Amino acid sequence: SQTIHQWPATLVQPVGSPLSLECTVEGTSNPNLYWYRQAAGRGLQLLFYSVGIGQISSEVPQNLSASRPQDRQFILSSKKLLLSDSGFYLCAWSPRAGEQYFGPGTRLTVT
Amino acid sequence: RKEVEQDPGPFNVPEGATVAFNCTYSNSASQSFFWYRQDCRKEPKLLMSVYSSGNEDGRFTAQLNRASQYISLLIRDSKLSDSATYLCVVIPGGADGLTFGKGTHLIIQP
């Protein structure tokens, strides 16, 4: 069966510091991968998606970036965090349109 | 008009009651629809797809009304464990991405 991992589970970072969140998927190959952010009181916002190694599509312009160095690895990064980057970051994979399977998420607080 | 709208609630419902809520969408070309459930501070999980003819999974029934552009979720004989936020998801026609609603918060009270 497929499983999706994210780490860390929680993170507190000062404004201006860098960020690296990692997501890995097991049990499937060449999955479509997604990064979402859910801010307090707001809905899920799609940040990036990837259909393959090195292929990244950005949905919202911001100070975040994503990379897919390996088939089942998806990384979300920032060089300098802003207060507004606080939120619940979720990685997901999708076997078919509409079906998203989420990782446990990383709760980021920027102070 | 927002792409996908949901009444945020909370809906406070006694255990055993039937509850229903809707999700409206603006893109008439939308092709696929889903309901997700999200427990507090957890990741969303796929609850069910919404088929054109409507579908049922145990106590849960999902329906699509294309003419009025909304989907609905009905929960019968509600349980305490049904307390969660229910997110609707719409796929716009021809696009790869999903659009999530902000969710409806449901509280089942004993």
Side-chain angles (χ1 to χ4, degrees):
Chain A
S1 64
Q2 299 83 13
T3 55
I4 181 167
H5 304 277
Q6 281 186 251
W7 63 90
T10 59
L11 193 59
V12 180
Q13 292 283 98
V15 168
S17 63
L19 173 74
S20 181
L21 302 181
E22 189 163 343
C23 169
T24 58
V25 181
E26 296 177 356
T28 184
S29 60
N30 197 30
N32 289 345
L33 296 174
Y34 302 78
W35 277 112
Y36 290 88
R37 177 172 62 201
Q38 189 174 41
R42 303 183 66 179
L44 276 167
Q45 179 185 32
L46 178 63
L47 302 175
F48 301 94
Y49 70 92
S50 171
V51 298
I53 296 174
Q55 301 178 64
I56 309 294
S57 295
S58 174
E59 289 294 303
V60 182
Q62 57 216 324
N63 68 320
L64 300 172
S65 61
S67 62
R68 187 167 176 176
Q70 300 181 41
D71 182 44
R72 287 171 284 180
Q73 184 185 31
F74 204 21
I75 297 172
L76 182 70
S77 304
S78 175
K79 292 182 179 178
K80 288 186 177 182
L81 285 169
L82 306 172
L83 284 174
S84 58
D85 290 325
S86 293
F88 190 34
Y89 286 82
L90 291 155
C91 180
W93 77 280
S94 177
R96 60 190 66 86
E99 292 185 22
Q100 300 260 307
Y101 296 94
F102 291 87
T106 294
R107 202 161 294 278
L108 172 67
T109 303
V110 182
T111 60
Chain B
R1 183 179 176 183
K2 295 180 182 176
E3 289 187 55
V4 178
E5 289 195 72
Q6 293 185 255
D7 183 339
F11 284 40
N12 289 283
V13 176
E15 190 177 8
T18 295
V19 60
F21 31 85
N22 295 338
C23 167
T24 58
Y25 60 95
S26 61
N27 187 344
S28 59
S30 297
Q31 297 294 321
S32 302
F33 310 88
F34 304 83
W35 283 104
Y36 282 71
R37 170 198 169 121
Q38 186 173 21
D39 293 306
C40 186
R41 300 181 69 81
K42 297 288 187 180
E43 74 274 21
K45 293 184 179 179
L46 179 62
L47 180 63
M48 59 197 304
S49 305
V50 185
Y51 303 131
S52 296
S53 56
N55 49 301
E56 188 175 309
D57 183 1
R59 298 182 292 109
F60 296 80
T61 301
Q63 291 193 312
L64 166 64
N65 186 317
R66 284 196 185 276
S68 300
Q69 294 185 204
Y70 72 87
I71 62 173
S72 63
L73 180 67
L74 182 143
I75 306 174
R76 289 181 299 277
D77 186 24
S78 54
K79 312 290 184 189
L80 294 176
S81 57
D82 294 333
S83 297
T85 297
Y86 291 85
L87 310 173
C88 70
V89 171
V90 174
I91 297 184
D96 292 333
L98 311 180
T99 302
F100 278 84
K102 291 184 179 181
T104 294
H105 187 35
L106 175 66
I107 301 171
I108 306 300
Q109 297 175 326

